[in-house]
Short mmCIF file of all heavy atoms in Angstrom, two decimals:
data_model
loop_
_atom_site.label_atom_id
_atom_site.label_comp_id
_atom_site.label_asym_id
_atom_site.label_seq_id
_atom_site.Cartn_x
_atom_site.Cartn_y
_atom_site.Cartn_z
N MET A 746 -8.69 17.31 0.22
CA MET A 746 -9.28 18.41 -0.43
C MET A 746 -10.70 18.18 -0.93
O MET A 746 -11.61 19.09 -0.92
CB MET A 746 -8.50 18.96 -1.61
CG MET A 746 -7.04 19.45 -1.03
SD MET A 746 -6.01 20.21 -2.32
CE MET A 746 -6.89 21.80 -2.43
N ILE A 747 -10.95 16.99 -1.45
CA ILE A 747 -12.21 16.64 -2.05
C ILE A 747 -12.59 15.23 -1.40
O ILE A 747 -12.32 14.18 -1.93
CB ILE A 747 -12.21 16.47 -3.55
CG1 ILE A 747 -11.57 17.62 -4.10
CG2 ILE A 747 -13.62 16.33 -4.09
CD1 ILE A 747 -11.05 17.53 -5.64
N PRO A 748 -13.08 15.25 -0.14
CA PRO A 748 -13.20 13.93 0.61
C PRO A 748 -13.91 12.82 -0.15
O PRO A 748 -13.39 11.72 -0.10
CB PRO A 748 -14.05 14.40 1.81
CG PRO A 748 -13.75 15.79 2.02
CD PRO A 748 -13.53 16.36 0.66
N ALA A 749 -15.05 13.05 -0.77
CA ALA A 749 -15.74 11.95 -1.44
C ALA A 749 -15.09 11.36 -2.68
O ALA A 749 -15.10 10.17 -2.90
CB ALA A 749 -17.08 12.35 -1.73
N PHE A 750 -14.38 12.28 -3.39
CA PHE A 750 -13.90 11.88 -4.79
C PHE A 750 -12.39 12.21 -4.91
O PHE A 750 -11.86 11.90 -5.97
CB PHE A 750 -14.68 12.61 -5.81
CG PHE A 750 -16.12 12.40 -5.88
CD1 PHE A 750 -16.99 13.34 -5.24
CD2 PHE A 750 -16.71 11.17 -6.25
CE1 PHE A 750 -18.39 13.09 -5.13
CE2 PHE A 750 -18.07 10.98 -6.16
CZ PHE A 750 -18.91 11.97 -5.61
N GLY A 751 -11.81 12.61 -3.86
CA GLY A 751 -10.33 13.05 -4.06
C GLY A 751 -9.44 11.93 -4.35
O GLY A 751 -8.41 12.16 -4.93
N LEU A 752 -9.66 10.72 -3.94
CA LEU A 752 -8.84 9.63 -4.21
C LEU A 752 -8.64 9.42 -5.75
O LEU A 752 -7.55 9.00 -6.17
CB LEU A 752 -9.24 8.33 -3.47
CG LEU A 752 -8.37 7.13 -3.61
CD1 LEU A 752 -6.97 7.41 -2.92
CD2 LEU A 752 -8.95 5.86 -2.94
N VAL A 753 -9.74 9.68 -6.47
CA VAL A 753 -9.65 9.44 -7.89
C VAL A 753 -9.31 10.87 -8.58
O VAL A 753 -8.47 10.81 -9.50
CB VAL A 753 -11.14 8.91 -8.44
CG1 VAL A 753 -11.08 8.94 -9.99
CG2 VAL A 753 -11.32 7.54 -7.90
N LEU A 754 -9.96 11.90 -8.13
CA LEU A 754 -9.72 13.22 -8.73
C LEU A 754 -8.30 13.75 -8.53
O LEU A 754 -7.73 14.35 -9.46
CB LEU A 754 -10.77 14.23 -8.35
CG LEU A 754 -12.18 13.97 -8.84
CD1 LEU A 754 -13.14 15.00 -8.30
CD2 LEU A 754 -12.14 14.01 -10.41
N GLY A 755 -7.76 13.40 -7.30
CA GLY A 755 -6.41 13.92 -7.04
C GLY A 755 -5.36 13.52 -7.97
O GLY A 755 -4.73 14.38 -8.56
N PRO A 756 -5.10 12.21 -8.24
CA PRO A 756 -4.17 11.86 -9.26
C PRO A 756 -4.57 12.19 -10.71
O PRO A 756 -3.71 12.60 -11.51
CB PRO A 756 -4.07 10.27 -9.13
CG PRO A 756 -5.31 9.85 -8.40
CD PRO A 756 -5.67 11.08 -7.58
N LEU A 757 -5.87 12.12 -11.01
CA LEU A 757 -6.26 12.53 -12.39
C LEU A 757 -5.95 13.99 -12.65
O LEU A 757 -5.29 14.29 -13.62
CB LEU A 757 -7.86 12.31 -12.41
CG LEU A 757 -8.42 12.81 -13.79
CD1 LEU A 757 -8.40 11.63 -14.74
CD2 LEU A 757 -9.84 13.21 -13.58
N LEU A 758 -6.33 14.86 -11.65
CA LEU A 758 -6.02 16.28 -11.87
C LEU A 758 -4.52 16.58 -11.76
O LEU A 758 -4.01 17.44 -12.53
CB LEU A 758 -6.80 17.13 -10.81
CG LEU A 758 -8.37 17.10 -11.07
CD1 LEU A 758 -8.97 17.81 -9.87
CD2 LEU A 758 -8.72 17.71 -12.35
N GLY A 759 -3.83 15.91 -10.87
CA GLY A 759 -2.40 16.14 -10.77
C GLY A 759 -1.68 15.78 -12.05
O GLY A 759 -0.88 16.60 -12.61
#
Side-chain angles (χ1 to χ4, degrees):
M746 297 186 75
I747 313 165
F750 305 102
L752 186 62
V753 173
L754 289 178
L757 176 86
L758 294 174

